[in-house]
């Protein structure tokens, strides 16, 4: 089947009362196209992106983007936080580059690889409006942050502040550094559902002391989707202690929200490009402010580059360069939606369309803040009387909705993460499932 139209769906959906749902009140006709085999350039020149993507509720426009991210029909995918689908045009380009590299093998590696890596670096720097000389291409956030945590010039007794909802791998890296280098970890208790950013700023400030050497901030908490107020936290922390090294885990925030990275006053930022940038799997980045480049030990030893050169953090051996080559296309797709703000607004709209229904409903707790700018696609819900595993099993077994159970000391619930591959019908399906609890 080449095309499946929304109206073709209508008879089966209406049996379940989908059309009565206010979220579908606009009753927009939209078409999801399958099997798009064109490049972004071809689609662009053919007028594919001529829709106005500035209205997050415009299902007709967003169906164009949704069509680029084909998905299985057998279940409803609402766990898009692990990694992102790559769009079809980017996958096509990635495959073409893989074929090109495979056909030339070591010739490519010896003659052309470097230019491809440098182009990837420059294009990514353009996306962030950073200097390419501060940007290393890594395999993912885990690699970038482990490099920093294990390669930092620690002194015994240094203190580092982490958050109580930071990502598990980073906690492990800091715990290992504590054993290895004799540093002390202090854990800031971040409110689960703060009413404003000041509460989060205060939670971090409380922990800063004379021995604090590093502040580690998770920009978007993966457990709940909470976005911390990064600029106010950094500003307040610097005012308290101006020699702190401020490190940001940007795994989920990069290319999900339209944050101004150029004005971010962090020292170090690491992220994954196979998440919301929708690049093929296995690409991340590590940004270091210039003074930190010679001070951090690379994870993989390097003596080919001067100590002041960011490329010393890229000594990973033979790597799939097509994944870097695909990045320019992945970046371009964001621009073709009219910019990252449109994407952010669409993702937040999908999230709020279900969380708003249940924020005040008895028995449900939405474990994700709602003040402006404090969340986007990801949100977490718990239901009285059901463990996270039971709730996730209910969604999956009764409704074929895939989510993830979060069993964490601070938050127990189910994380639900729509993507550009979802539309409002998926959200209605979720809402119906929740109403059935
Ligand atoms: C907050 C956060 N940091 C780091 C990571 C690790 O990302 P990766 O597995 O791409 O290294 C994740 C993964 O979900 C995450 O949510």
């Amino acid at each position: 089947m080449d095309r499946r139209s929304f109206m073709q769906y209508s008879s089966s959906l209406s049996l379940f009362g989908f059309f009565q749902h206010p979220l579908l009140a606009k009753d927009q006709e939209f078409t999801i196209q399958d099997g798009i085999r064109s490049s972004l350039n071809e689609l662009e020149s053919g007028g594919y992106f001529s829709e106005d993507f500035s209205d997050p509720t415009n299902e007709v426009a967003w169906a164009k983007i949704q069509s680029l991210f084909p998905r299985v029909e057998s279940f409803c995918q609402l766990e898009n936080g692990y990694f992102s689908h790559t769009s079809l045009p980017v996958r096509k380009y990635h495959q073409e580059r893989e074929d090109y590299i495979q056909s030339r093998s070591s010739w490519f590696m010896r003659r052309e690889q470097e230019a491809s890596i440098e182009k990837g670096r420059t294009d990514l720097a353009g996306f962030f409006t950073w200097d390419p000389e501060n940007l290393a291409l890594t395999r993912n956030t885990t690699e970038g942050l482990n490099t920093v945590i294990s390669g930092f010039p620690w002194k015994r007794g240094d203190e580092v502040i982490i958050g109580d909802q930071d990502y598990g791998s980073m906690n492990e890296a800091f715990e290992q550094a504590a054993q290895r280098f004799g540093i002390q970890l202090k854990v800031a208790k971040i409110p689960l559902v703060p009413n404003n950013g000041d509460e989060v700023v205060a939670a971090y400030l409380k922990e800063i002391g004379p021995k604090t050497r590093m502040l580690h901030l998770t920009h978007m908490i993966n457990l709940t989707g909470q976005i911390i107020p990064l600029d106010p936290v950094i500003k307040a922390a610097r005012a308290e202690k101006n020699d702190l090294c401020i490190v940001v885990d940007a795994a989920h925030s990069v290319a999900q929200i339209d944050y101004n990275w150029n004005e971010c006053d962090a020292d170090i930022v690491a992220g994954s490009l196979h998440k919301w940038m929708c690049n093929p799997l296995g690409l991340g980045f590590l940004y270091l402010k210039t003074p930190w480049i010679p001070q951090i030990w690379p994870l993989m030893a390097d003596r080919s580059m001067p100590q002041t050169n960011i490329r010393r953090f890229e000594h990973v051996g033979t790597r799939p360069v097509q994944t870097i080559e695909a990045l320019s296309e992945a970046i371009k797709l964001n621009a073709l939606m009219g910019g990252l703000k449109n994407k952010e607004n669409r993702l937040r709209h999908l999230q709020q369309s279900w969380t708003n229904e249940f924020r005040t409903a008895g028995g449900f707790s939405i474990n994700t803040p709602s003040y402006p700018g404090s969340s986007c696609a990801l949100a977490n819900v718990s239901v009285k009387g059901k463990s996270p595993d039971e709730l996730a099993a209910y969604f999956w077994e009764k409704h074929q909705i895939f989510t993830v159970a979060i069993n964490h000391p601070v938050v127990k619930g189910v994380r639900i993460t729509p993507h550009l591959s979802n539309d409002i019908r998926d959200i209605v399906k979720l809402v119906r499932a929740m109403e059935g609890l």
Side-chain angles (χ1 to χ4, degrees):
M1 182 171 67
D2 269 339
R3 290 171 157 249
R4 56 189 165 83
S5 108
F6 179 52
M7 295 318 282
Q8 280 166 5
Y9 268 49
S10 61
S11 53
S12 60
L13 293 179
S14 58
L15 285 177
F16 298 99
F18 271 62
F19 282 105
Q20 282 83 55
H21 201 282
L23 286 172
L24 291 172
K26 280 191 166 178
D27 199 13
Q28 304 172 68
E29 257 187 77
F30 60 91
T31 302
I32 310 295
Q33 298 178 37
D34 282 346
I36 291 171
R37 290 281 166 260
S38 310
S39 67
L40 284 183
N41 274 345
E42 287 161 351
L43 289 172
E44 187 185 10
S45 54
Y48 188 85
F49 297 100
S50 58
E51 309 282 345
D52 176 8
F53 296 105
S54 63
D55 176 0
T57 70
N58 184 345
E59 295 297 323
V60 177
W62 285 100
K64 285 292 200 63
I65 304 300
Q66 189 185 1
S67 298
L68 303 179
F69 292 92
R71 50 182 216 171
V72 290
E73 291 297 323
S74 53
F75 68 92
C76 178
Q77 174 63 277
L78 284 175
E79 205 302 77
N80 293 292
Y82 198 134
F83 79 96
S84 162
H85 321 264
T86 298
S87 68
L88 276 176
V90 177
R91 272 155 61 180
K92 173 181 154 67
Y93 184 73
H94 183 244
Q95 187 60 54
E96 284 167 7
R97 294 308 301 168
E98 157 107 60
D99 293 346
Y100 178 91
I101 293 169
Q102 290 293 350
S103 65
R104 285 155 183 83
S105 65
S106 59
W107 182 90
F108 172 86
M109 293 302 189
R110 295 190 190 282
R111 301 272 171 97
E112 293 189 337
Q113 155 175 234
E114 197 180 326
S116 288
I117 294 173
E118 290 311 315
K119 181 170 182 334
R121 185 192 321 284
T122 308
D123 289 350
L124 187 61
F127 170 82
F128 284 117
T129 54
W130 280 336
D131 186 330
E133 293 304 316
N134 294 97
L135 200 49
L137 294 170
T138 62
R139 288 170 292 190
N140 49 45
T141 315
T142 307
E143 178 183 319
L145 289 178
N146 267 278
T147 301
V148 172
I149 297 164
S150 68
F152 194 77
W154 298 114
K155 291 199 286 304
R156 187 162 283 278
D158 282 345
E159 285 180 4
V160 52
I161 299 171
I162 58 175
D164 63 351
Q165 296 157 56
D166 284 353
Y167 191 68
S169 309
M170 305 325 147
N171 295 339
E172 288 172 64
F174 278 117
E175 281 157 20
Q176 180 172 285
Q179 288 173 10
R180 193 171 160 193
F181 305 112
I183 62 172
Q184 304 292 320
L185 307 186
K186 294 185 81 182
V187 183
K189 286 193 171 34
I190 310 305
L192 191 60
V193 188
N195 296 307
N196 54 58
D198 294 347
E199 294 177 27
V200 182
V201 174
Y204 280 110
L205 276 193
K206 221 171 103 195
E207 302 302 329
I208 298 178
K211 290 188 184 163
T212 312
R213 188 92 189 279
M214 183 185 281
L215 173 61
H216 177 261
L217 303 170
T218 303
H219 193 183
M220 183 183 292
I221 295 171
N222 70 300
L223 309 168
T224 62
Q226 175 175 177
I227 302 170
I228 67 159
L230 195 56
D231 294 337
V233 171
I234 294 177
K235 194 167 170 218
R238 292 234 184 270
E240 190 75 17
K241 195 167 187 296
N242 63 12
D243 62 349
L244 285 179
C245 177
I246 300 183
V247 178
V248 176
D249 175 344
H252 273 291
S253 54
V254 168
Q256 183 180 160
I257 58 170
D258 188 25
Y259 176 71
N260 186 348
W261 289 103
N262 182 255
E263 290 189 3
C264 178
D265 191 21
D267 295 281
I268 295 172
V269 183
S272 296
L273 299 163
H274 44 237
K275 288 192 187 285
W276 297 92
M277 186 64 89
C278 310
N279 200 68
L281 274 169
L283 195 63
F285 70 89
L286 174 62
Y287 163 89
L288 299 178
K289 263 192 187 166
T290 305
W292 289 106
I293 297 174
Q295 294 191 62
I296 310 276
W297 290 92
L299 209 54
M300 264 80 55
D302 179 275
R303 59 177 186 195
S304 64
M305 292 287 161
Q307 208 158 334
T308 50
N309 192 317
I310 192 75
R311 292 163 190 78
R312 64 201 281 264
F313 298 99
E314 293 176 347
H315 200 143
V316 291
T318 313
R319 65 189 304 183
V321 185
Q322 66 274 21
T323 309
I324 298 174
E325 294 183 320
L327 180 58
S328 312
E329 295 291 291
I331 292 172
K332 186 173 175 182
L333 181 54
N334 291 295
L336 290 171
M337 293 172 218
L340 213 44
K341 197 72 200 166
N342 287 347
K343 178 176 172 182
E344 171 184 339
N345 287 341
R346 169 65 175 173
L347 292 169
R348 184 175 292 120
H349 163 67
L350 292 175
Q351 180 255 108
Q352 290 181 341
S353 295
W354 73 269
T355 51
N356 285 348
E357 301 268 320
F358 292 93
R359 278 210 185 263
T360 52
F364 292 91
S365 299
I366 302 293
N367 305 312
T368 302
S370 59
Y371 71 87
S374 62
S375 61
C376 189
L378 287 71
N380 181 305
V381 60
S382 43
V383 173
K384 206 168 170 202
K386 279 211 184 295
S387 72
D389 290 316
E390 285 166 346
L391 185 54
Y394 165 80
F395 285 136
W396 178 245
E397 284 158 21
K398 286 241 164 36
H399 298 277
Q400 293 74 55
I401 298 173
F402 191 59
T403 60
V404 59
I406 303 287
N407 280 296
H408 185 272
V410 177
V411 54
K412 301 207 185 317
V414 162
R415 187 182 72 184
I416 291 168
T417 310
H419 190 277
L420 297 174
S421 56
N422 295 109
D423 60 52
I424 201 69
R425 290 168 301 166
D426 297 321
I427 304 301
V428 170
K429 194 169 173 15
L430 172 73
V431 168
R432 291 286 189 230
M434 288 174 70
E435 283 168 355
L437 277 159

